[in-house]
Amino acid sequence: MIKKLSLVSLFTLLPASFYFAQTTVFAYLKDADGKPVERAEVDLKGNDNDVTADKIGYFQFVDLQPGHYQIVITKPNYETKVMEFDVANEKRKDLGIVTLYSTLTSADQGLAIIDNDGDDEDSNSGQASTVGLLQSSQDIFSRIAAFDLGFYWFRPRGIDGRFGETMLNGVSMIKSDNGNVDFGNWGGLNEITRYPEISQNHAPSEYAFGGNSSVVYKNTKASEYRKGFQFTQSLTNRNYRNRTSLRYSSGMSKSGWAFTAMGARRWAEEGIQEGTFYDAYGAYLGIEKKFSDKHTMTFNFIGAPYRRSTSSPSTQEVYDYRGVHYNSYWGYQDGEQRSERVRKGFQPIFQIQDFWKINKNSSLWTSVSYQFGKDKGSRLDWQNVQNPSPTYYRNLPSYYDSLDPNASVVNPDGTMTTAQDAFQTSLRGWQNGDPNITQINWDRLYQRNMQQAPQNYYGQNGKRALYYLVNDVSDDKIWNVATHFIHNFNDTTKFLLNVSYQNYRSEQYREVNDLLGADFVLNRDPFAATNQPGKTGLYNEGEENVTKKVGDKMTYDYIFRRQEVKVNPGLKFSSGKFDVFVSGMFGYSSSNREGLFNHYLYKDSYGKGTDYNYWNYGIKGQAIYKVNGRNFIVYNGAYYSQAPYLEDLFVNPRVNGSVAPNVKNMVVNANDLSYVMSTPFLKLRLTGYLVDTDNETTVQRFFADGLALKSVDADGNQTNVQSAFVSQIMTDVKKRNMGLELGVDVKIIPTLSLQGLASIGQYTYQNDPTTYFASDATGVFGNGLPYTSLGKAYIKDYRQGGTPQQAFSLGFRYNNPKYWWVGANWNYFDDSYLDPASLIRTEGFIQNDLTSSPFYGLTESDLRRVLEPNKLPSSFFLNANAGKSWVIGKYYVLISATVNNILDNRKYITGGFEQTRNAKFDTFSEDLNREYPLFGPKYWYTQGRSYFINLQFRF
């Protein structure tokens, strides 16, 4: 009987073991040179079956049941790799060759690359061999551009970063007001957010549709970090001087829990720019719970409070006097440095993410994120007195030099003198660095306020502030919900679907920061008496308290709201020698403004305004043709529309709810074609690209002198206005960015490689867009609107600003087998321009207001000379880096150092803008002919030689 039962049991179990087929999964580990990587640890997540690669880099897991798996590969001096794969009813599963990249250089980023080293041209190997092309670590051009050229403000293809996508744990980090990403929200947490997955430029991504810049996807799962502690200490001479961080990760426990925590601080009593300080913290907590092999949930908290001061741009005159580290935003108060421009904020992020493996072919990731908090930026303000900035044009030597030498002028301390004496005093002060002249005199500001005689203002008696500090505040509340669905039809065909929703609410207002010895400040326009005679001038008519104290809101207060939904389906498949990725996008956004102040000039300043609704659509495609296992042809194409951001939609949201006329969805048509070669000795990418942008709207806000404006009161009385804060709006802007990119990495010997980059571009405006003008000095124009048309701005064929359009790099890297390295590179930049200011390129610029015709004697050559593109000088730089690592038992130590701009080049201009405070040809050309124009362009210069030293200790 027992024998019979045993036989029955045996034959009953045989079909079961066949049904639950046990699979052996294996792979080979190699380095970037194709050499085996031995003794790497391979951790199968959620199991105790950890293995170690043998001498030929081979590892395997046996008896795996069908399901979804994840492995983590670690080895000292190599980046950590994370891979996911599915096991079906198969006896053996080959993961191919996994390439581990050395940490002995900061250039390589750490994502798993599954590659095929053979020339087998069947469809399966074709798919495997092109996976690496989608990862940034394989792209030599992008690597050099990011790590060597990015330090000098180089933007690949000249594309604004606002047209990209940055995602954190499945949700977008783009701010709806201006399209920017505030990287300070996770500042200092480098070891947590370090290894993103990047779809370069306008290539399609699995996680979002993106734009014509890159899609950067960061995931922070607690179990994916190396188990144990990691301590890092950094020294630098940049915006901060010190950085300290500590990270701990528990790894996945047998009960299915994993924890990772990190804290960091960056600080400087004074940064590389004079008068700046830096004090920022970063904290991360990740908790992961594995319920089963098919279901995992994570919780992530990220918080990074900060307080830091900023530095100023300056005219060439100021740089010639004081150098590139000069900063006009600070001065001494009681012997201590004090800055007027201080940013502080804390906007923590809470996220929950659910990972569900529905079945062997389908998975669903769902993310919920909430971010809230305030960001504040302080600045000096004043009423009925002169601008106290030391770089205000009336406080510089050039201003006194422009006057009649015998003219009487008032010194900053209130005494009288002649223009010639004032020029000599100012010049000596700037050349010698007298802080009473070159910096803010805080004691003088306090003295002026405290000398005010107490008076009664709107029922309050006290000293009115002439000078005071304000904060511009953004109080944000942002909800994000997103899902990421994947279905594998088979080994070569995958369907993806991303659906996201964002609810953005931001109250933006100004508050009193410091009254500088006064009792209160008036919430009233100081220019109203002259620009708007007969009107109240109140920023908030009807309020009970016009006298504002510290913490009170003043000047403006409004709420931005935006809701946006995006649906992004995608399909990836392989056929023969082709890999194809097609991605679509359908989107809808609704935006509005709600005013909380009733501005004295605008009827639409108060209350909730109109909802502005936009539909978006787009398609992206990528086709990879595999010539053989090492040569590829890659095409990327994108055509899509994008709704305007809130700050581009509204003309002047601080004071009214009017929108720019003829605002439409921006439309982008982007194409590129690449030849890619990847061999053990040569990596190369050669790309040609063409990106056309239509219907873009831009809004700029600034102070202008010399404008012929007229305001009309209720009785029809006209007042001429010559100075005002204004908004300049351009609609239907068309741009073209085209060029060539070349990246090369040549292995001379196994330990020495040469690397090079060439970027040759031409980024231009393609039309003469319509320009509109708005000003608080005039309020509503004769057309009944708060803006008027200035006609076309003649900027066609002008170069776009913001980045060099030609860039070259050449360098070497030596990796010694004993775990030390050294590298250096030469970088050259040319064809960098300032963006053309549209206001001075309209017909009104050349018209005499008295005759309404062009200025007498004006010739085309005169006009071309005055309005020629503002090209910046070319420059070159030398950088170097070196480092060494040690493995001492279970401990790992790494020390590295980088020096940028070794030759201390201080003549490179990283950016700037044209001032348009003289908006008429006669005054503009007169100013331009001076040795130092009063309203010349303002620049940001490179900061000179810099270093970064890093010590890392793992235990």
Side-chain angles (χ1 to χ4, degrees):
M1 184 66 180
I2 296 176
K3 291 182 179 179
K4 188 178 292 186
L5 286 174
S6 299
L7 288 173
V8 171
S9 300
L10 176 62
F11 284 100
T12 302
L13 290 173
L14 281 176
S17 66
F18 177 79
Y19 179 77
F20 296 104
Q22 295 174 329
T23 303
T24 297
V25 176
F26 63 95
Y28 293 85
L29 302 181
K30 293 189 177 182
D31 62 16
D33 300 322
K35 295 181 178 180
V37 177
E38 61 176 309
R39 299 188 62 78
E41 297 177 5
V42 186
D43 176 18
L44 184 64
K45 302 294 284 298
N47 293 269
D48 295 329
N49 299 333
D50 298 346
V51 298
T52 302
D54 63 17
K55 291 184 178 181
I56 62 172
Y58 177 83
F59 70 88
Q60 69 176 17
F61 292 97
V62 298
D63 297 337
L64 295 187
Q65 303 290 345
H68 181 74
Y69 293 90
Q70 185 180 78
I71 58 175
V72 179
I73 307 170
T74 58
K75 179 176 171 64
N77 302 315
Y78 288 87
E79 301 287 12
T80 298
K81 304 297 183 183
V82 179
M83 294 177 57
E84 296 188 6
F85 60 89
D86 294 308
V87 171
N89 295 321
E90 51 194 327
K91 291 185 177 181
R92 293 176 63 82
K93 185 176 185 66
D94 184 0
L95 298 182
I97 292 175
V98 179
T99 304
L100 297 184
Y101 288 90
S102 171
T103 58
L104 299 183
T105 171
S106 61
D108 294 317
Q109 298 198 39
L111 287 168
I113 310 300
I114 304 174
D115 205 354
N116 185 312
D117 62 349
D119 292 326
D120 186 357
E121 297 182 7
D122 63 62
S123 60
N124 290 331
S125 65
Q127 181 172 349
S129 64
T130 56
V131 174
L133 295 176
L134 303 179
Q135 313 294 350
S136 60
S137 58
Q138 288 289 86
D139 184 349
I140 183 63
F141 179 93
S142 300
R143 216 161 57 198
I144 298 175
F147 289 97
D148 292 319
L149 306 188
F151 182 80
Y152 303 102
W153 300 94
F154 171 75
R155 292 204 314 254
R157 305 187 183 184
I159 302 299
D160 191 332
R162 299 196 312 160
F163 303 136
E165 181 72 85
T166 297
M167 304 187 71
L168 185 63
N169 296 318
V171 300
S172 174
M173 292 289 105
I174 301 293
K175 295 196 67 175
S176 293
D177 56 349
N178 55 24
N180 291 320
V181 177
D182 189 352
F183 294 98
N185 285 329
W186 53 88
L189 301 175
N190 306 47
E191 289 82 358
I192 295 295
T193 61
R194 182 177 179 183
Y195 301 123
E197 183 171 343
I198 302 175
S199 295
Q200 295 290 346
N201 305 308
H202 59 267
S205 166
E206 290 194 5
Y207 303 102
F209 185 81
N212 58 339
S213 186
S214 300
V215 175
V216 179
Y217 182 87
K218 303 171 185 284
N219 216 41
T220 59
K221 296 179 71 173
S223 64
E224 293 184 357
Y225 299 100
R226 183 182 180 89
K227 185 177 180 179
F229 288 91
Q230 178 173 302
F231 171 80
T232 304
Q233 178 66 49
S234 304
L235 300 175
T236 182
N237 67 336
R238 300 176 184 175
N239 295 334
Y240 59 89
R241 301 285 183 173
N242 302 275
R243 175 181 180 268
T244 300
S245 71
L246 180 65
R247 186 188 75 193
Y248 169 74
S249 185
S250 68
M252 183 65 72
S253 70
K254 293 182 179 180
S255 59
W257 288 95
F259 301 88
T260 295
M262 180 179 173
R265 187 190 180 198
R266 295 167 294 161
W267 74 96
E269 292 186 6
E270 184 173 37
I272 192 170
Q273 296 296 100
E274 297 173 356
T276 61
F277 67 87
Y278 204 104
D279 194 12
Y281 294 83
Y284 168 78
L285 174 63
I287 303 173
E288 182 174 349
K289 172 58 178 174
K290 181 178 181 180
F291 299 100
S292 68
D293 290 341
K294 294 184 177 182
H295 189 198
T296 302
M297 290 190 69
T298 66
F299 167 80
N300 291 290
F301 164 78
I302 296 176
Y306 62 87
R307 184 174 180 271
R308 58 183 176 83
S309 58
T310 61
S311 59
S312 62
S314 296
T315 60
Q316 190 60 52
E317 175 184 11
V318 174
Y319 281 115
D320 287 347
Y321 292 142
R322 302 305 313 147
V324 300
H325 293 149
Y326 171 76
N327 174 23
S328 66
Y329 289 157
W330 69 279
Y332 288 104
Q333 180 180 341
D334 296 330
E336 300 288 335
Q337 289 185 353
R338 182 180 182 181
S339 174
E340 63 148 315
R341 301 292 177 101
V342 177
R343 282 197 63 187
K344 63 179 180 179
F346 181 42
Q347 295 182 311
I349 304 170
F350 297 85
Q351 297 180 322
I352 295 177
Q353 207 169 7
D354 182 87
F355 300 87
W356 178 30
K357 180 68 177 177
I358 301 172
N359 53 47
K360 67 178 182 179
N361 294 322
S362 303
S363 62
L364 179 68
W365 300 357
T366 303
S367 304
V368 178
S369 174
Y370 179 59
Q371 182 178 8
F372 67 97
K374 295 181 181 181
D375 177 271
K376 299 183 178 184
S378 69
R379 54 165 293 167
L380 267 174
D381 207 349
W382 54 93
Q383 294 185 1
N384 304 111
V385 287
Q386 183 174 292
N387 186 338
S389 170
T391 57
Y392 178 56
Y393 80 101
R394 288 178 177 266
N395 293 332
L396 292 173
S398 57
Y399 171 72
Y400 300 114
D401 192 41
S402 69
L403 303 175
D404 182 331
N406 298 315
S408 296
V409 297
V410 181
N411 281 320
D413 60 5
T415 61
M416 298 296 297
T417 187
T418 65
Q420 179 61 30
D421 289 342
F423 169 73
Q424 293 296 336
T425 301
S426 179
L427 183 63
R428 285 194 301 270
W430 278 97
Q431 290 176 336
N432 298 327
D434 182 351
N436 292 313
I437 292 177
T438 64
Q439 305 302 148
I440 297 171
N441 193 318
W442 290 99
D443 295 335
R444 185 182 299 157
L445 303 187
Y446 272 86
Q447 184 180 21
R448 288 290 305 277
N449 277 347
M450 297 176 71
Q451 286 175 347
Q452 292 290 299
Q455 296 186 39
N456 188 283
Y457 298 91
Y458 299 94
Q460 293 290 324
N461 193 70
K463 297 179 180 180
R464 177 175 72 95
L466 302 178
Y467 303 98
Y468 52 97
L469 274 173
V470 296
N471 289 327
D472 290 312
V473 183
S474 294
D475 185 356
D476 297 341
K477 295 177 176 63
I478 308 170
W479 281 99
N480 280 284
V481 180
T483 61
H484 174 65
F485 174 75
I486 300 176
H487 178 73
N488 295 287
F489 292 102
N490 51 50
D491 291 341
T492 61
T493 305
K494 177 192 293 187
F495 172 75
L496 305 118
L497 179 64
N498 300 302
V499 181
S500 64
Y501 167 76
Q502 183 180 87
N503 187 315
Y504 175 86
R505 181 191 187 276
S506 178
E507 182 178 359
Q508 307 202 12
Y509 57 91
R510 179 168 288 177
E511 68 179 11
V512 182
N513 176 301
D514 192 333
L515 291 167
L516 306 184
D519 296 319
F520 51 75
V521 62
L522 300 182
N523 193 26
R524 186 181 69 187
D525 182 359
F527 299 103
T530 54
N531 293 344
Q532 299 288 336
K535 295 190 177 182
T536 65
L538 295 178
Y539 289 125
N540 188 19
E541 288 192 319
E543 69 178 354
E544 295 182 359
N545 182 24
V546 180
T547 56
K548 302 297 181 180
K549 298 182 180 181
V550 173
D552 291 342
K553 296 177 181 178
M554 66 174 296
T555 310
Y556 67 90
D557 186 8
Y558 65 95
I559 297 173
F560 265 157
R561 293 187 180 91
R562 184 184 181 103
Q563 296 189 72
E564 186 168 30
V565 178
K566 289 183 180 179
V567 180
N568 168 219
L571 183 67
K572 299 177 72 173
F573 62 91
S574 295
S575 178
K577 293 187 176 183
F578 286 93
D579 283 357
V580 179
F581 188 177
V582 180
S583 176
M585 181 269 289
F586 308 94
Y588 173 79
S589 68
S590 180
S591 305
N592 68 65
R593 172 195 179 273
E594 180 181 358
L596 304 179
F597 272 12
N598 186 17
H599 195 279
Y600 76 102
L601 285 177
Y602 304 103
K603 294 181 180 180
D604 63 346
S605 62
Y606 183 78
K608 184 177 179 181
T610 304
D611 290 331
Y612 295 93
N613 305 320
Y614 291 90
W615 289 93
N616 294 316
Y617 58 89
I619 187 169
K620 286 186 174 183
Q622 180 182 75
I624 301 176
Y625 175 72
K626 174 189 159 188
V627 179
N628 52 43
R630 292 171 177 171
N631 295 272
F632 311 90
I633 305 295
V634 183
Y635 166 77
N636 290 295
Y639 185 87
Y640 68 94
S641 64
Q642 179 173 303
Y645 294 111
L646 289 162
E647 289 188 358
D648 293 332
L649 179 62
F650 293 92
V651 173
N652 193 355
R654 291 186 173 185
V655 295
N656 63 56
S658 297
V659 301
N662 301 318
V663 177
K664 303 176 182 178
N665 294 62
M666 182 182 69
V667 177
V668 175
N669 184 2
N671 296 272
D672 67 33
L673 185 65
S674 301
Y675 167 66
V676 178
M677 177 185 292
S678 181
T679 75
F681 305 102
L682 175 64
K683 290 181 173 61
L684 176 148
R685 174 165 76 82
L686 175 63
T687 301
Y689 61 88
L690 176 64
V691 181
D692 285 331
T693 306
D694 293 340
N695 297 338
E696 186 176 351
T697 298
T698 65
V699 181
Q700 295 177 322
R701 301 173 178 93
F702 52 88
F703 189 85
D705 273 347
L707 295 174
L709 302 178
K710 295 179 181 179
S711 65
V712 183
D713 63 18
D715 299 324
N717 300 315
Q718 290 188 354
T719 303
N720 292 324
V721 180
Q722 293 294 324
S723 301
F725 285 99
V726 302
S727 296
Q728 168 191 286
I729 308 101
M730 290 196 300
T731 61
D732 189 32
V733 180
K734 302 182 187 297
K735 298 178 180 178
R736 170 165 287 181
N737 295 49
M738 62 180 183
L740 294 172
E741 296 174 337
L742 174 65
V744 180
D745 186 332
V746 181
K747 193 74 65 177
I748 304 301
I749 57 176
T751 56
L752 178 65
S753 63
L754 296 181
Q755 299 175 339
L757 172 151
S759 177
I760 303 173
Q762 182 173 292
Y763 318 141
T764 57
Y765 289 91
Q766 291 293 292
N767 71 327
D768 298 322
T770 303
T771 299
Y772 298 87
F773 176 82
S775 170
D776 291 349
T778 58
V780 177
F781 288 83
N783 57 9
L785 299 171
Y787 56 80
T788 186
S789 174
L790 298 180
K792 293 183 176 181
Y794 295 94
I795 62 173
K796 184 178 180 180
D797 296 329
Y798 272 80
R799 296 293 187 101
Q800 301 170 35
T803 183
Q805 302 193 14
Q806 316 290 333
F808 303 90
S809 180
L810 182 64
F812 76 91
R813 186 177 68 199
Y814 174 75
N815 286 337
N816 189 277
K818 295 184 178 181
Y819 303 116
W820 63 267
W821 80 93
V822 63
N825 65 289
W826 165 88
N827 304 307
Y828 176 81
F829 302 97
D830 201 356
D831 279 0
S832 187
Y833 295 81
L834 297 185
D835 242 353
S838 63
L839 190 62
I840 61 174
R841 292 172 173 88
T842 61
E843 289 185 1
F845 177 71
I846 64 171
Q847 289 181 346
N848 188 318
D849 290 325
L850 298 177
T851 64
S852 296
S853 60
F855 287 99
Y856 178 76
L858 176 61
T859 65
E860 183 177 349
S861 60
D862 290 336
L863 189 60
R864 287 184 179 275
R865 178 185 62 83
V866 169
L867 299 182
E868 66 179 351
N870 202 321
K871 185 177 180 180
L872 305 178
S874 60
S875 287
F876 71 90
F877 303 91
L878 292 177
N879 301 339
N881 61 84
K884 177 76 170 74
S885 67
W886 298 266
V887 177
I888 307 171
K890 295 183 178 181
Y891 302 102
Y892 170 79
V893 181
L894 168 69
I895 185 168
S896 61
T898 299
V899 181
N900 288 320
N901 192 6
I902 294 173
L903 301 181
D904 200 25
N905 180 352
R906 302 190 181 194
K907 297 182 179 180
Y908 177 62
I909 299 173
T910 60
F913 55 91
E914 293 183 344
Q915 293 197 81
T916 52
R917 298 178 68 169
N918 283 316
K920 289 295 181 179
F921 173 81
D922 55 349
T923 54
F924 187 93
S925 59
E926 179 184 358
D927 189 40
L928 186 66
N929 291 332
R930 295 189 175 99
E931 178 185 6
Y932 288 123
L934 303 182
F935 305 114
K938 286 197 171 183
Y939 304 113
W940 281 277
Y941 273 77
T942 188
Q943 299 175 344
R945 184 185 300 113
S946 66
Y947 63 85
F948 194 93
I949 302 172
N950 198 61
L951 172 65
Q952 188 179 101
F953 181 47
R954 298 178 191 167
F955 56 100

